Amino acid sequence: MRVRTPLGSAGRRPVGRRTLLGSTAVLGASAALAGCGGPLGAGLVGGEVAPETLVFWNLFGGGDGGRMQDMEKVYEKAHGGSSSLQATTFAWGNPYYSKVTLATVGNQPPDVAVAHLTRAKPLWDGGILDPISEDDLASVGLKTSDFNEKAWSAQVTDGKNIAIPLDTHPFVMFFNHEVMDKAGLLESDGSLTDLSGVDTFESALEEIKGVTGSEALTSANVSETATPWRLFWSLYNQYEDATPFLSDGGAKITVDEDIYTDITARLQKWVEKGWLNRGIDYAGSQTQMATGKAGIYLQGEWEISTFQSIEGLKFGMAPIPTLFDRPAAQADSHTFILPKKDRTPEQLTQALGFIKSMLTESMTWAEGGHVPAYLPTYDSAEYKKLTPQSDYASAAENAYYDDAAWYGGSGSTFEATVGAQLALVQQGSTTPEGALSAIRGQLQTYLDPPSPL
């Protein structure tokens, strides 16, 4: 029964609940998928799934996908074999969340699904999720205090638990050991010297530039919009007076323009000084750090696997240095959600038991770089010995999630819109003022209409 079929539909626009209910979208999608032998077809057109089989949807490919499969195998082994679980992987992004919405509205949702925490909130607002009570958690031996407080608090919406976090994946700093050593920025034990404070950090960038002969710091901003957003949101929230970028569920833009200008002007200064790349794509930015043409690379911690695969490369990882008032890093969390459906008490316990099993195996998950949200794993001696993963784990305590909005969150229209303009600022193609004006104009389309969910 165990089937894993990557199914993607890149480019398909999100389908709103009202649209689905009021049109032939469900019928059209069902007809198109009727010939599928995989679980997507079963989920959407009512194919047979054994009652005892737990149906699980996720969005994990690559190394994360392999680790998730290893964790699923543990569940299967404890529950009678492969027939106990039907796991399906979809391409992540807007199409994935459309599928979860469509299946739930069509009364054929999976028993458990994965969602980014920032995308779970719009699903909740659209009536797509079942809440998870303290009694529900207790039924499988879980409690609120088992989880990272920042991630747990972030998922609480309207006073309800809407998701169970598996991890936190923050924006972090990778560094090339050889370059940083030559720049005199490593301690005797190989750890990074304290780079806190903007003056200290900029002095370090000048030292690194002297070693590389090119940029000190590399961060992707060509054909890449998420990274410029993550960099901006990390530095922006290091100001203690930072306001939300969006408020009222995405109906208002409330970014602090003074802080916005300070950050974007400083990034332009870094480019003019030759410390930060003007324009580079995702793969190019990785190559710069891996080949010693830059000392620092800023990205999500999931790129640890990329650098671990490069023979002979010695690198380290650390939280983004605190340049301003307080530590902060843009982040999101992978969570488990319960799509809304009629469940017997036994089915609810089965779903929660599956989630508990995944949390118990989250040491496997942590090897891929994600910081465990489940504290029995986070606090374990095994995790503390896992380096460089545990070296930046404190970044999860200072995570700043994207503001709630129906068009926001990881891989969203919001990140693409704002990130594209921030990338142009770094490239020198527009001014900070011009970029903010463009952001306001382009987001206006999404501010006024009510959520389609």
Side-chain angles (χ1 to χ4, degrees):
M1 184 64 71
R2 190 173 192 278
V3 180
R4 178 174 292 278
T5 309
L7 298 168
S9 55
R12 185 179 298 171
R13 298 186 61 180
V15 181
R17 182 183 183 188
R18 293 175 186 172
T19 303
L20 290 168
L21 290 172
S23 72
T24 59
V26 171
L27 292 175
S30 298
L33 295 164
C36 296
L40 176 60
L44 297 181
V45 302
E48 292 294 328
V49 176
E52 70 277 10
T53 301
L54 185 131
V55 178
F56 172 52
W57 289 7
N58 69 78
L59 39 65
F60 300 122
D64 279 351
R67 281 179 285 274
M68 179 55 64
Q69 290 181 45
D70 289 342
M71 295 159 66
E72 291 165 1
K73 288 174 183 174
V74 174
Y75 175 85
E76 291 174 352
K77 186 176 181 180
H79 293 81
S82 60
S83 63
S84 63
L85 179 64
Q86 185 186 77
T88 306
T89 300
F90 298 92
W92 88 283
N94 285 339
Y96 173 78
Y97 294 105
S98 297
K99 290 181 173 71
V100 172
T101 302
L102 186 154
T104 305
V105 173
N107 202 31
Q108 294 290 340
D111 297 302
V112 178
V114 164
H116 288 88
L117 190 152
T118 56
R119 303 301 291 263
K121 287 178 177 289
L123 294 177
W124 169 262
D125 291 340
I128 301 300
L129 304 184
D130 278 332
I132 303 166
S133 71
E134 298 299 321
D135 287 344
D136 294 338
L137 293 171
S139 71
V140 293
L142 293 173
K143 55 187 181 302
T144 298
S145 59
D146 286 334
F147 296 90
N148 171 284
E149 184 178 0
K150 193 90 176 188
W152 189 261
S153 298
Q155 62 79 28
V156 175
T157 307
D158 298 333
K160 305 288 187 182
N161 298 319
I162 67 168
I164 297 178
L166 171 63
D167 64 36
T168 305
H169 42 277
F171 198 63
V172 299
M173 181 171 70
F174 296 76
F175 57 92
N176 182 306
H177 258 269
E178 182 177 355
V179 171
M180 301 301 269
D181 189 24
K182 290 180 179 177
L185 296 171
L186 293 184
E187 302 289 354
S188 57
D189 64 355
S191 63
L192 199 62
T193 59
D194 184 3
L195 299 181
S196 299
V198 68
D199 291 340
T200 299
F201 188 70
E202 291 185 344
S203 294
L205 294 179
E206 183 65 21
E207 293 295 330
I208 296 168
K209 179 185 172 185
V211 173
T212 64
S214 56
E215 291 92 2
L217 164 65
T218 181
S219 186
N221 67 333
V222 172
S223 301
E224 167 64 10
T225 55
T227 303
W229 164 250
R230 292 176 183 134
L231 174 56
F232 169 80
W233 197 232
S234 296
L235 298 181
Y236 178 85
N237 281 292
Q238 291 193 357
Y239 284 74
E240 61 184 7
D241 296 330
T243 57
F245 202 106
L246 299 173
S247 297
D248 293 350
K252 295 180 180 177
I253 298 175
T254 54
V255 62
D256 185 300
E257 293 193 16
D258 289 339
I259 300 176
Y260 164 88
T261 301
D262 282 348
I263 296 298
T264 49
R266 188 168 297 277
L267 292 176
Q268 286 191 319
K269 170 190 169 184
W270 291 359
V271 171
E272 291 165 0
K273 290 281 189 180
W275 297 336
L276 171 65
N277 59 269
R278 182 176 300 277
I280 196 165
D281 64 15
Y282 201 101
S285 64
Q286 294 175 321
T287 300
Q288 289 292 95
M289 203 279 283
T291 59
K293 294 180 179 177
I296 295 174
Y297 167 71
L298 300 179
Q299 191 49 267
E301 36 66 30
W302 52 84
E303 291 300 344
I304 185 174
S305 298
T306 299
F307 294 114
Q308 286 178 327
S309 69
I310 300 174
E311 187 175 357
L313 175 63
K314 190 173 182 181
F315 71 98
M317 298 173 67
I320 300 292
T322 303
L323 304 189
F324 306 109
D325 304 323
R326 62 187 182 188
Q330 193 272 351
D332 206 339
S333 291
H334 296 118
T335 71
F336 296 104
I337 56 173
L338 300 181
K340 185 175 286 296
K341 65 183 298 185
D342 291 332
R343 305 173 198 266
T344 65
E346 292 75 18
Q347 288 171 329
L348 176 59
T349 299
Q350 181 192 31
L352 292 167
F354 171 75
I355 295 171
K356 173 70 179 300
S357 175
M358 295 295 102
L359 294 170
T360 302
E361 295 302 314
S362 58
M363 189 63 211
T364 298
W365 193 244
E367 292 172 357
H370 306 313
V371 181
Y374 187 53
L375 294 183
T377 300
Y378 181 90
D379 292 332
S380 68
E382 186 178 8
Y383 180 68
K384 294 183 187 306
K385 291 179 181 177
L386 184 68
T387 58
Q389 289 89 334
S390 59
D391 292 340
Y392 57 82
S394 62
E397 310 296 328
N398 303 301
Y400 280 80
Y401 295 83
D402 293 6
D403 297 319
W406 66 267
Y407 54 92
S410 290
S412 68
T413 299
F414 171 82
E415 282 197 354
T417 301
V418 179
Q421 292 300 318
L422 295 171
L424 292 175
V425 171
Q426 185 176 334
Q427 292 168 20
S429 300
T430 189
T431 62
E433 295 77 12
L436 185 57
S437 177
I439 289 168
R440 290 186 181 281
Q442 293 172 22
L443 289 184
Q444 192 62 46
T445 301
Y446 308 98
L447 301 181
D448 296 334
S451 169
L453 288 172

